[in-house]
Amino acid sequence: MNDIFEQVRQTIAQVQQEQPNNTQELEAYRIQYLGSKSTIKSLMEGMREVPNERKKEFGQLVNSLKQQAEEKYQTLKAAFDAQAEAASAVQLDLTRTPEPASLGARHPVSITMNRIIRIFEKIGFVVADGPEVEHDWYNFTAMNTPEDHPARDMQDTFYVVDAPGLLLRTHTSNVQARVMTSRKPPIRIIAPGRVFRNETISARSHAQFHQIEGLYIDEGVSFADMKQTLYFFAQEMFGATKIRLRPSFFPFTEPSAEMDVWLGTETEETRRLTKGTGWLEILGCGMVDPQVLENCGIDSTQYSGFAFGMGIERQALRLFNIPDIRFLFENDVRFLSQFSQVIA
Ligand code: DAH
């Protein structure tokens, strides 16, 4: 009977003498005293043999053993862990040249957009901005596309259910109305931004894309000014030697045109891009309809101007030889990181 008390006292003395010198020895110590088959466990099971009046005494003694064993373990473990950490820190070579930090890449749409902006900035255009969630009036009505006008069918969009009259803009032309209603001519702006259409998504089209709008209003601005400005752009952007203006229709310009640039038919790529014609369609343009000027509070007898708008994605696909427009919106890093070396 006294035996088991004696065994506990001896084990306490033993624990106090234990001196594990490293993590392996500490682990052996843990298994011996604290593990599931440890000395202490089996001593605790001895409780059964202890008569009731001494159970309390025995319990306290075993607890004290357990506590001492546990504390010793925790203290040594903390010390060994700290040693290990210090040792690995010493191995750090602080003189080594660091790995280059990996920088993000600009999105191909941003790269393309920036190139276009830079070209127009050279000839005095400044960047203007407008909202993506827009009032019907700026997107359509001011731009000479009143409700029930058939031209609205060409640009179906997403409407804000709880706010009648609010929609996702279908083109950057809303910025024309925004600028004309808030500034006085001369106006010479380009407006890049995201636009939306209610369209089925495919390899060639998407429900969201980007455009750049241009607007130039002053006294005596003519069709010839427009042509020369766009020709300059075509030269800078495509190295094109020729442009072609084809008659077209937009509600907000009169006359309206579509511009093609001459890429030629010499390479397989230009033949593919131009469907064998040598001409690549780039943008819509025209003289701002006097009614649009009046809608926006500009005297159409004093001022005239031209405007143009073009999609950016198609240029980005062409510039970087990207086969599917959806790559531009999936944000897959394996795709996007390929542009980290491109100067934006
Ligand atoms: N807003 C037209 C579109 O999305 C593009 C456009 C055509 C803009 C002619 C213009 C313009 O400013 O003059 O299809």
Side-chain angles (χ1 to χ4, degrees):
M1 176 57 257
N2 268 332
D3 260 18
I4 190 154
F5 278 81
E6 193 43 41
Q7 277 176 38
V8 177
R9 282 195 206 95
Q10 273 173 14
T11 313
I12 292 180
Q14 210 179 318
V15 163
Q16 287 169 350
Q17 270 170 25
E18 287 284 2
Q19 216 45 268
N21 280 313
N22 51 45
T23 42
Q24 285 89 344
E25 288 179 21
L26 182 63
E27 182 57 9
Y29 166 94
R30 188 189 67 77
I31 292 167
Q32 184 179 347
Y33 295 103
L34 303 166
S36 55
K37 291 181 189 137
S38 64
T39 323
I40 296 179
K41 262 256 164 71
S42 57
L43 285 173
M44 279 169 118
E45 277 157 18
M47 176 76 97
R48 271 186 260 115
E49 302 159 28
V50 178
N52 281 347
E53 67 274 16
R54 294 198 70 186
K55 272 199 192 326
K56 187 173 168 199
E57 189 193 336
F58 182 77
Q60 283 169 347
L61 194 61
V62 175
N63 263 338
S64 148
L65 163 61
K66 209 178 144 198
Q67 231 169 27
Q68 290 187 46
E70 185 84 47
E71 262 168 36
K72 184 163 208 161
Y73 174 74
Q74 293 301 350
T75 313
L76 287 171
K77 182 165 184 338
F80 289 146
D81 284 354
Q83 264 175 26
E85 202 172 307
S88 74
V90 170
Q91 288 162 13
L92 261 186
D93 177 0
L94 296 174
T95 64
R96 218 185 89 188
T97 310
E99 295 289 331
S102 69
L103 298 173
R106 248 186 244 284
H107 194 283
V109 168
S110 301
I111 296 170
T112 312
M113 201 186 254
N114 287 341
R115 288 195 184 172
I116 298 172
I117 291 172
R118 234 171 275 143
I119 293 168
F120 283 105
E121 277 179 345
K122 281 191 196 174
I123 48 174
F125 284 77
V126 294
V127 171
D129 202 5
E132 292 174 0
V133 182
E134 183 57 290
H135 293 280
D136 183 296
W137 191 82
Y138 289 99
N139 192 80
F140 286 128
T141 312
M143 300 310 291
N144 221 10
T145 315
E147 235 166 288
D148 304 323
H149 192 288
R152 280 207 183 189
D153 291 347
M154 288 156 53
Q155 300 192 354
D156 189 19
T157 185
F158 302 97
Y159 295 86
V160 181
V161 176
D162 295 335
L166 275 190
L167 44 78
L168 298 189
R169 66 174 175 185
T170 58
H171 50 186
T172 42
S173 303
N174 69 321
V175 184
Q176 288 193 34
R178 289 265 166 195
V179 170
M180 283 192 274
T181 51
S182 62
R183 298 185 206 167
K184 294 213 169 331
I187 290 169
R188 191 159 45 181
I189 56 112
I190 39 168
R194 189 156 47 152
V195 303
F196 306 85
R197 301 273 170 97
N198 186 359
E199 265 179 36
T200 316
I201 293 167
S202 73
R204 307 303 311 162
S205 68
H206 207 284
Q208 57 167 328
F209 54 101
H210 294 77
Q211 290 187 331
I212 277 199
E213 191 82 9
L215 177 68
Y216 185 13
I217 296 174
D218 203 347
E219 291 184 15
V221 176
S222 72
F223 198 89
D225 294 321
M226 179 180 88
K227 192 175 168 188
Q228 200 56 33
T229 303
L230 295 177
Y231 181 44
F232 173 76
F233 169 69
Q235 287 173 304
E236 295 279 312
M237 184 79 186
F238 304 94
T241 50
K242 275 193 288 189
I243 60 167
R244 173 169 90 170
L245 290 169
R246 280 180 291 107
S248 185
F249 170 78
F250 300 102
F252 31 87
T253 44
E254 182 59 37
S256 304
E258 266 165 286
M259 180 177 90
D260 304 335
V261 296
W262 176 250
L263 296 186
T265 52
E266 269 146 46
T267 68
E268 199 178 314
E269 201 202 346
T270 55
R271 281 196 296 277
R272 183 175 56 80
L273 283 169
T274 65
K275 298 192 181 88
T277 65
W279 293 103
L280 183 68
E281 183 187 324
I282 297 297
L283 53 77
C285 58
M287 300 305 291
V288 179
D289 193 306
Q291 185 61 51
V292 172
L293 296 175
E294 296 295 336
N295 290 347
C296 298
I298 291 177
D299 183 352
S300 65
T301 61
Q302 188 184 356
Y303 294 105
S304 60
F306 65 82
F308 55 90
M310 73 186 107
I312 296 174
E313 273 75 3
R314 260 215 278 156
Q315 303 312 327
L317 299 187
R318 189 190 58 81
L319 211 52
F320 299 113
N321 224 343
I322 299 166
D324 188 317
I325 197 170
R326 287 168 290 196
F327 281 122
L328 298 175
F329 298 107
E330 282 165 354
N331 289 335
D332 187 328
V333 174
R334 289 169 302 176
F335 169 73
L336 294 175
S337 62
Q338 295 176 45
F339 300 90
S340 59
Q341 302 302 318
V342 180
I343 309 292

